[in-house]
Amino acid sequence: MPYQSPVTDIRLILSHVAGFDKVAETERFSEATPDMVDAILTEAARMCDDILAPLQRAGDTHPARLENGVVRTSPGFDAGYAAIAEGGWVGMSASPDHGGMGLPITLAMAVNDMMSGACLSLQLNPLMSQGQIEALEHHASDEIKALYLPKLISGEWCGTMNLTEPQAGSDVGALQSKAEPNGDGTYAITGQKIYISWGDNDFSENVCHLVLARLPDGVPGTKGISLFMVPKIIPNEDGTLGDHNSLRVLSLEHKMGLHGSPTAVMSYEGAKGWLVGHEHGGMAAMFTMMNNARLGVGIQGIGTAEGATQHAMAYATERKQGRAGGTGTIIEHADVRRMLATMRAQTFAARSIALSCAVAIDMATATGDPAWKARAALLTPISKAFGTDTGMEVSSLGVQVHGGMGYIEETGAAQYYRDVRVTAIYEGTNGIQAMDLVGRKLSDGGEATYQLLEEICDDAEAAKAREPELARLVWDAAESLLETTEWLVTCDTPDDRNAGAVPYLRAFALVLGAQAHLAAALADPKRRALANFYIRRLLPEHRALLAHVREGAEGLMEISPDDLAA
Amino acid sequence: MPYQSPVTDIRLILSHVAGFDKVAETERFSEATPDMVDAILTEAARMCDDILAPLQRAGDTHPARLENGVVRTSPGFDAGYAAIAEGGWVGMSASPDHGGMGLPITLAMAVNDMMSGACLSLQLNPLMSQGQIEALEHHASDEIKALYLPKLISGEWCGTMNLTEPQAGSDVGALQSKAEPNGDGTYAITGQKIYISWGDNDFSENVCHLVLARLPDGVPGTKGISLFMVPKIIPNEDGTLGDHNSLRVLSLEHKMGLHGSPTAVMSYEGAKGWLVGHEHGGMAAMFTMMNNARLGVGIQGIGTAEGATQHAMAYATERKQGRAGGTGTIIEHADVRRMLATMRAQTFAARSIALSCAVAIDMATATGDPAWKARAALLTPISKAFGTDTGMEVSSLGVQVHGGMGYIEETGAAQYYRDVRVTAIYEGTNGIQAMDLVGRKLSDGGEATYQLLEEICDDAEAAKAREPELARLVWDAAESLLETTEWLVTCDTPDDRNAGAVPYLRAFALVLGAQAHLAAALADPKRRALANFYIRRLLPEHRALLAHVREGAEGLMEISPDDLAA
């Protein structure tokens, strides 16, 4: 049973959970009519199902490799990438000024979701370009925009993000790469960068690196960092290609998964670069790039969860075993049914949150309303962390449904489990996301959160007549989350908030997921069974998580390294 | 920071949690004096730390492979195995009648724990032999015992378990392998077996396969299955080796992890076998073998959790990042501290449960008291499933603590994560364990469970004076578990019990873990911080799990395959 893009679920979420109709009603996105949305989802699904999904296993069994300094990609990835580029999927939400389709980011994320489920390692490539396009649109000079954006949007060139250095991971401010003015408006970039996803490939004409580095007068820490465009091949002003830049791939990492995506150690050796944004303004530009990428990575987790769920469903409905009634396949066992229902229900919850986040981004773009901006900012770390946690949890259940077969690589279940593991780490670990949520995102005194929780309570109130029991459970959960949020806002120390940041984020996501399931049940009677499962069986975890949060840091930091030794 | 066997934790658990003193007081195990225990733990730790732990990475990077029908093991595994065999560690708890040390199984499990943390893939080899030794001791004829046991106990020969066939996994009764009487008291065994751990090696003189097969008059299902000893090389009566038997390794599986352990597809082609136990009595013999192995596999999860925890601790106390106070390493971050505390606290809980299970087995052996037997039977599935779930959870946190480095194979964190994944699957998936718990283990009307929960309440009661808050939380949790157990016992249908079997098992384990932490805190003031963390932050999950259990099957089986499609 081959992969089928989850068009039905996405449509339901757009229409009845995430409120996409509001986006289509704005002038900015008035082209996103229901017919247009249908056409896009259908067309993208065809590409994902027919062209990308068949590449999934080759990306694992034939990893990208470095040959004489050149990256050779997995078999078929060149044709897969060409399909993505030619379909216009890289620049879907990019501005039409430089060839983009100007569509809502929500649709781009829906397509990213489908592509991730089909072939995660290849999908990571256009995701990087999308982040770069957005960063350039917001921060680059007109010259850079005119030169780079058309090529990135068409997919002729690819983009990468160069943040991390060996001694500077989550603490970006510790980076040491240098940028020296060349005197002609360009800069000489020198330094080593690690974990560069798709740092090179053999199917695009050029690879454009956005590199964080420090100018000679840059102060230590994040405030002294600037962003530079450093192309692999230096383009002429007309967009034709000139000389090779002074940069190279030193090596590719040997990773647990995602073997189709080359993760490079990059060396910049006085490479020519162009400033993007203001001097010392690199962090702002980077956050633009990362915000998009954070939601995109959450979507990667969700897409992988989708792929793993379909894979397990196919096995469970074919594998005959035991004396269970019905068809005699293992899906008739209550425990297998529980696992599959958990997979589907969590995937739906995570997808709903991420697409709601995307809708908030679009609404902020279309209306400029700070409330939408705050909503998007609030939902971004939740989408990233819960989406990727869901990817891990669901792919692990996928392995388990397969029993012994799940541990054998040829089955393919293990690949989802290995591939998705990195999504909880890159673009800011899930711990960093959670600290962002309880830190920066509550620094408004909790206003954006309270507004969202009020909406959930209102939704539950409105649902009471038709779904009294489920509505009550959702209302209670939102109230509990509200109380703990109030407690967090008044916490004295960052440690008190950070100690429970990860459980708080998960509790928040569970409540949002319950809201989504309730909405789905109201919209479609066929969704009631799954909503019931989620709200009655999975949602209760939020109480335990909130109890954890309320403990704060007291007693935690007293557990010494000695106490943690065996 | 190299691996250090967790001798301190094991000593604390033996003395203050699992009640090992009772074992040492029995006549049967009177040799297990404190001095003897100390000597054994110290000696085993030395081997694990110095000889086995250095083999861990080679088992992953240089997998066992099949060359011209012969298995070649990972570099150094031959010397590692020799150290295990020569130390007498294979036959620690085997009867002295055939060369064993006759020590409590509790000590053997403690040593297995240390070996698993040092090098899981190699440790699986003696674990298989131990299961075989126990099965032979209980079920084999005197001739077979005399011929095989001395060699297995000395480690000169290795043992395997051959249960699974392509169409017969969790449903063993579906197996098709045949045994035809040869007329001379031996049998001709024909069939194919899969997932045979350590199906062959290049360091032991012989490999002895215990194979489940059906005699010509065997009825379909589990009641028609018999057990046979089928040696790779047919021994002469004096124990010298004769002809090669008609069996071979067809292939080795390409697995997600545990690469150092060859997982074989075995072909028996009229191989000569000897009946072990009664005709058609194979399942009883298999359960003996599997019960030991189930606890042993739980211990594998715990050992892996230990290795992953130490590995992450070493990184967290060395990796400098951020502006946190103290030493400036990442362990000063509240979220990292939370992860490490979770790892250590869950590992301690799982280890306490497993060693308590081992103590119950020893007490049953020493006293014949059916209450101890029931206790051991109750704790076995919990030890297996929670031990291996803990291995997965803790090794995933270990990857997360490492950040980007965790995803790079050279770091070693990923190996724990990949290796341990199979332990939740083999020897009966964790779902099967949970169904055993809510099915067979509650079929006494819950008596053994009630008795155990009463003990927990008594312990909590007694702890009230010194730890009022923690004691109250433990008491409440045990009460909640008791109520849900009462509900389970009166369930009408197996589906109602099975639907919540997995959450029930986990809730049970969390309560047992809390009891263990409380006991540790009372015994050693230095353990209070960790006990506090566990009982206040991790234990609350039990409520959500029990809410899940109480839902039963209602609404679950109504979620149709269509509802589970995207």
Side-chain angles (χ1 to χ4, degrees):
Chain A
M1 205 155 89
Y3 172 76
Q4 287 191 298
S5 289
V7 175
T8 309
D9 262 27
I10 289 172
R11 276 209 192 99
L12 176 78
I13 292 169
L14 293 183
S15 304
H16 298 287
V17 179
F20 183 72
D21 49 344
K22 287 191 294 287
V23 174
E25 284 163 13
T26 64
E27 202 190 319
R28 167 75 178 249
F29 296 121
S30 57
E31 281 179 36
T33 60
D35 281 354
M36 172 67 145
V37 171
D38 262 1
I40 283 176
L41 295 181
T42 306
E43 193 55 41
R46 190 173 304 144
M47 174 190 66
C48 292
D49 300 357
D50 296 348
I51 301 177
L52 302 189
L55 303 175
Q56 159 86 345
R57 295 291 296 134
D60 194 54
T61 54
H62 295 78
R65 60 192 199 282
L66 189 65
E67 272 183 13
N68 304 321
V70 177
V71 168
R72 301 289 175 207
T73 58
S74 302
F77 272 35
D78 49 357
Y81 179 77
I84 296 170
E86 286 159 18
W89 305 113
V90 181
M92 274 183 73
S93 60
S95 161
D97 295 350
H98 300 99
M101 290 202 248
L103 288 166
I105 197 93
T106 307
L107 294 183
M109 288 297 165
V111 174
N112 281 354
D113 181 343
M114 301 191 226
M115 290 200 285
S116 301
C119 184
L120 187 69
S121 58
L122 178 55
Q123 183 272 340
L124 181 56
N125 181 305
L127 182 64
M128 294 291 100
S129 294
Q130 287 169 0
Q132 180 165 123
I133 290 166
E134 197 171 344
L136 295 183
E137 285 183 342
H138 282 86
H139 300 282
S141 66
D142 288 343
E143 290 76 18
I144 289 182
K145 282 184 191 169
L147 184 54
Y148 288 87
L149 281 174
K151 300 287 192 183
L152 288 165
I153 288 170
S154 69
E156 289 164 271
W157 299 354
C158 292
T160 76
M161 295 164 58
N162 287 239
L163 282 59
T164 307
E165 300 180 7
Q167 77 299 338
S170 298
D171 182 17
V172 178
L175 68 79
Q176 296 176 350
S177 290
K178 285 177 187 163
E180 302 268 352
N182 286 328
D184 61 355
T186 67
Y187 297 82
I189 311 295
T190 303
Q192 204 181 99
K193 294 286 183 178
I194 61 171
Y195 303 150
I196 309 309
S197 294
W198 282 100
D200 197 12
N201 70 67
D202 54 5
F203 49 63
S204 74
E205 294 173 4
N206 203 358
V207 181
C208 306
H209 304 287
L210 278 182
V211 182
L212 287 179
R214 208 178 298 276
L215 288 165
D217 59 343
V219 296
T222 54
K223 288 179 183 167
I225 296 175
S226 306
L227 184 66
F228 300 88
M229 166 59 79
V230 189
K232 171 179 162 187
I233 309 197
I234 299 171
N236 302 312
E237 277 177 28
D238 62 358
T240 58
L241 295 174
D243 295 336
H244 201 292
N245 210 340
S246 301
L247 61 87
R248 60 202 169 101
V249 176
L250 286 186
S251 61
L252 299 184
E253 301 291 0
H254 174 217
K255 310 190 299 294
M256 192 198 311
L258 218 63
H259 296 152
S261 158
T263 302
V265 177
M266 299 294 302
S267 174
Y268 296 91
E269 298 153 356
K272 191 177 267 196
W274 285 261
L275 184 69
V276 173
H278 305 293
E279 289 186 1
H280 319 311
M283 287 304 280
M286 191 202 79
F287 270 115
T288 303
M289 188 159 65
M290 275 197 74
N291 259 328
N292 180 317
R294 282 157 83 193
L295 175 56
V297 168
I299 288 276
Q300 290 194 311
I302 295 158
T304 309
E306 178 66 46
T309 301
Q310 290 190 21
H311 196 258
M313 272 294 293
Y315 184 78
T317 51
E318 279 166 18
R319 171 72 172 170
K320 289 192 169 43
Q321 187 150 248
R323 284 150 308 209
T327 60
T329 57
I330 61 170
I331 197 173
E332 300 303 323
H333 291 282
D335 184 54
V336 173
R337 192 74 61 106
R338 176 192 63 80
M339 289 194 276
L340 292 166
T342 303
M343 296 167 79
R344 175 51 66 201
Q346 290 287 32
T347 303
F348 181 81
R351 178 173 283 142
S352 295
I353 295 168
L355 291 180
S356 298
C357 179
V359 162
I361 295 171
D362 285 327
M363 290 306 291
T365 305
T367 68
D369 184 343
W372 279 117
K373 226 174 206 165
R375 172 69 53 89
L378 179 65
L379 290 179
T380 296
I382 302 175
S383 300
K384 195 279 182 180
F386 188 66
T388 57
D389 281 346
T390 297
M392 294 198 295
E393 180 188 347
V394 168
S395 63
S396 183
L397 286 170
V399 169
Q400 199 68 18
V401 167
H402 282 81
M405 292 287 286
Y407 202 60
I408 308 298
E409 285 291 355
E410 283 76 5
T411 310
Q415 186 186 344
Y416 293 113
Y417 185 69
R418 289 185 291 97
D419 281 0
V420 81
R421 187 65 187 81
V422 74
T423 64
I425 296 170
Y426 63 23
E427 300 309 330
T429 65
N430 286 2
I432 295 279
Q433 305 298 325
M435 285 187 266
D436 174 54
L437 178 65
V438 300
R440 198 174 293 119
K441 300 306 158 61
L442 289 187
S443 64
D444 62 353
E447 197 183 325
T449 302
Y450 297 145
Q451 198 174 328
L452 178 53
L453 294 179
E454 248 172 61
E455 284 177 29
I456 298 176
C457 287
D458 290 348
D459 282 3
E461 199 65 42
K464 261 190 183 163
R466 289 177 54 199
E467 293 287 355
E469 181 62 8
L470 298 186
R472 185 183 64 78
L473 292 169
V474 174
W475 196 92
D476 285 352
E479 270 294 308
S480 301
L481 183 58
L482 181 71
E483 284 165 24
T484 297
T485 306
E486 287 169 347
W487 180 86
L488 272 176
V489 167
T490 58
C491 267
D492 290 333
T493 72
D495 269 358
D496 271 329
R497 285 193 295 276
N498 289 340
V502 165
Y504 176 73
L505 185 149
R506 183 171 177 84
F508 208 141
L510 289 173
V511 171
L512 291 169
Q515 178 194 27
H517 273 288
L518 180 58
L522 293 174
D524 180 356
K526 285 197 307 186
R527 310 288 307 200
R528 288 195 62 217
L530 201 64
N532 198 54
F533 177 87
Y534 186 90
I535 292 170
R536 298 178 67 99
R537 296 174 203 240
L538 304 184
L539 176 62
E541 189 194 343
H542 80 275
R543 283 179 199 281
L545 295 164
L546 295 177
H548 191 153
V549 176
R550 296 291 274 267
E551 291 294 318
E554 200 190 326
L556 173 63
M557 302 309 282
E558 284 79 359
I559 302 174
S560 71
D562 272 359
D563 296 338
L564 295 171
Chain B
M1 204 154 89
Y3 173 78
Q4 286 191 299
S5 289
V7 175
T8 309
D9 263 27
I10 289 171
R11 276 210 192 97
L12 177 78
I13 291 169
L14 292 183
S15 302
H16 298 288
V17 179
F20 182 73
D21 50 343
K22 286 191 293 288
V23 175
E25 283 163 13
T26 64
E27 202 188 321
R28 165 75 178 251
F29 296 120
S30 57
E31 280 178 36
T33 60
D35 283 354
M36 172 66 144
V37 171
D38 263 2
I40 283 175
L41 295 181
T42 307
E43 193 56 41
R46 191 174 302 143
M47 174 190 66
C48 293
D49 301 357
D50 298 347
I51 300 177
L52 302 189
L55 303 175
Q56 160 86 346
R57 294 290 297 133
D60 194 52
T61 55
H62 295 79
R65 60 191 200 283
L66 190 64
E67 272 182 13
N68 304 321
V70 177
V71 167
R72 300 289 175 204
T73 58
S74 302
F77 273 35
D78 49 355
Y81 179 78
I84 296 170
E86 284 159 19
W89 305 114
V90 180
M92 276 182 72
S93 60
S95 160
D97 296 350
H98 299 100
M101 290 201 250
L103 288 166
I105 197 91
T106 307
L107 294 182
M109 289 296 166
V111 173
N112 281 355
D113 181 343
M114 300 191 224
M115 290 201 284
S116 301
C119 185
L120 187 68
S121 58
L122 178 55
Q123 184 270 340
L124 181 56
N125 181 304
L127 182 64
M128 294 291 100
S129 294
Q130 287 169 0
Q132 180 164 124
I133 290 166
E134 199 171 342
L136 295 182
E137 285 183 342
H138 282 87
H139 301 280
S141 66
D142 288 343
E143 290 75 18
I144 289 182
K145 283 185 190 170
L147 184 54
Y148 287 89
L149 281 174
K151 299 288 191 181
L152 289 164
I153 289 169
S154 69
E156 289 164 272
W157 298 354
C158 292
T160 77
M161 295 164 58
N162 287 239
L163 282 58
T164 307
E165 299 179 9
Q167 76 300 340
S170 298
D171 180 17
V172 178
L175 68 80
Q176 295 176 350
S177 289
K178 287 177 186 164
E180 302 268 353
N182 286 327
D184 61 355
T186 68
Y187 297 83
I189 311 296
T190 302
Q192 205 181 96
K193 294 286 183 177
I194 61 172
Y195 303 150
I196 309 310
S197 294
W198 282 99
D200 196 12
N201 70 67
D202 55 4
F203 49 62
S204 73
E205 293 173 5
N206 203 357
V207 180
C208 306
H209 304 287
L210 278 181
V211 182
L212 287 180
R214 209 179 298 276
L215 287 165
D217 60 342
V219 296
T222 53
K223 289 178 183 168
I225 296 174
S226 306
L227 184 66
F228 300 89
M229 167 59 79
V230 189
K232 171 179 162 187
I233 310 203
I234 299 171
N236 303 311
E237 277 177 28
D238 63 357
T240 58
L241 294 175
D243 295 335
H244 201 291
N245 210 341
S246 300
L247 60 89
R248 61 201 168 102
V249 176
L250 286 185
S251 60
L252 299 185
E253 301 290 1
H254 174 217
K255 310 189 300 293
M256 191 197 314
L258 218 63
H259 296 153
S261 159
T263 302
V265 177
M266 300 292 303
S267 173
Y268 296 90
E269 297 154 355
K272 191 177 268 198
W274 285 261
L275 185 68
V276 174
H278 304 294
E279 287 186 3
H280 318 309
M283 287 304 280
M286 192 202 78
F287 271 114
T288 302
M289 188 159 66
M290 274 197 76
N291 258 328
N292 179 317
R294 283 158 81 192
L295 175 57
V297 169
I299 289 276
Q300 289 194 312
I302 295 158
T304 308
E306 178 67 44
T309 302
Q310 292 191 20
H311 196 257
M313 272 295 292
Y315 184 79
T317 51
E318 279 166 17
R319 170 73 171 169
K320 289 191 168 44
Q321 186 149 253
R323 284 151 309 211
T327 59
T329 58
I330 61 171
I331 197 173
E332 299 304 324
H333 292 281
D335 185 55
V336 173
R337 191 74 62 105
R338 176 191 63 79
M339 289 194 276
L340 292 166
T342 303
M343 296 168 79
R344 175 51 66 203
Q346 290 287 34
T347 303
F348 181 81
R351 178 173 283 142
S352 294
I353 295 167
L355 291 179
S356 297
C357 178
V359 163
I361 294 171
D362 284 327
M363 291 306 292
T365 305
T367 68
D369 184 342
W372 279 117
K373 227 173 205 166
R375 172 69 53 90
L378 179 66
L379 291 179
T380 295
I382 302 175
S383 300
K384 195 279 184 181
F386 187 66
T388 57
D389 281 345
T390 297
M392 294 198 294
E393 179 187 348
V394 167
S395 63
S396 183
L397 287 169
V399 169
Q400 199 68 17
V401 167
H402 282 81
M405 294 286 287
Y407 202 61
I408 307 297
E409 284 292 355
E410 283 77 4
T411 311
Q415 186 186 345
Y416 293 113
Y417 185 68
R418 290 185 291 99
D419 281 1
V420 81
R421 187 65 188 82
V422 74
T423 63
I425 296 170
Y426 62 22
E427 301 310 329
T429 65
N430 286 3
I432 295 279
Q433 305 300 324
M435 285 187 267
D436 175 54
L437 178 64
V438 299
R440 197 174 293 117
K441 300 306 159 60
L442 289 186
S443 64
D444 63 352
E447 196 183 328
T449 303
Y450 297 145
Q451 198 174 331
L452 178 52
L453 294 179
E454 248 173 61
E455 284 177 29
I456 298 176
C457 287
D458 290 349
D459 282 4
E461 199 65 43
K464 262 192 183 162
R466 288 176 55 199
E467 293 287 353
E469 180 62 9
L470 298 186
R472 185 184 62 78
L473 292 168
V474 174
W475 195 92
D476 286 351
E479 271 294 309
S480 301
L481 183 59
L482 182 71
E483 284 165 24
T484 297
T485 305
E486 287 169 346
W487 179 85
L488 274 176
V489 166
T490 58
C491 269
D492 289 334
T493 72
D495 269 358
D496 271 329
R497 286 194 295 275
N498 290 339
V502 164
Y504 177 74
L505 185 148
R506 184 171 177 84
F508 207 141
L510 288 173
V511 171
L512 291 169
Q515 178 193 29
H517 274 288
L518 181 59
L522 293 174
D524 179 357
K526 285 197 305 186
R527 309 289 306 200
R528 289 196 60 218
L530 201 64
N532 198 55
F533 177 87
Y534 186 91
I535 292 170
R536 298 179 67 98
R537 296 175 202 239
L538 304 185
L539 175 61
E541 188 192 344
H542 80 276
R543 282 179 201 281
L545 295 163
L546 294 177
H548 192 153
V549 176
R550 296 289 275 266
E551 291 294 319
E554 199 190 327
L556 173 63
M557 302 312 279
E558 283 81 359
I559 303 174
S560 71
D562 272 358
D563 297 337
L564 295 171

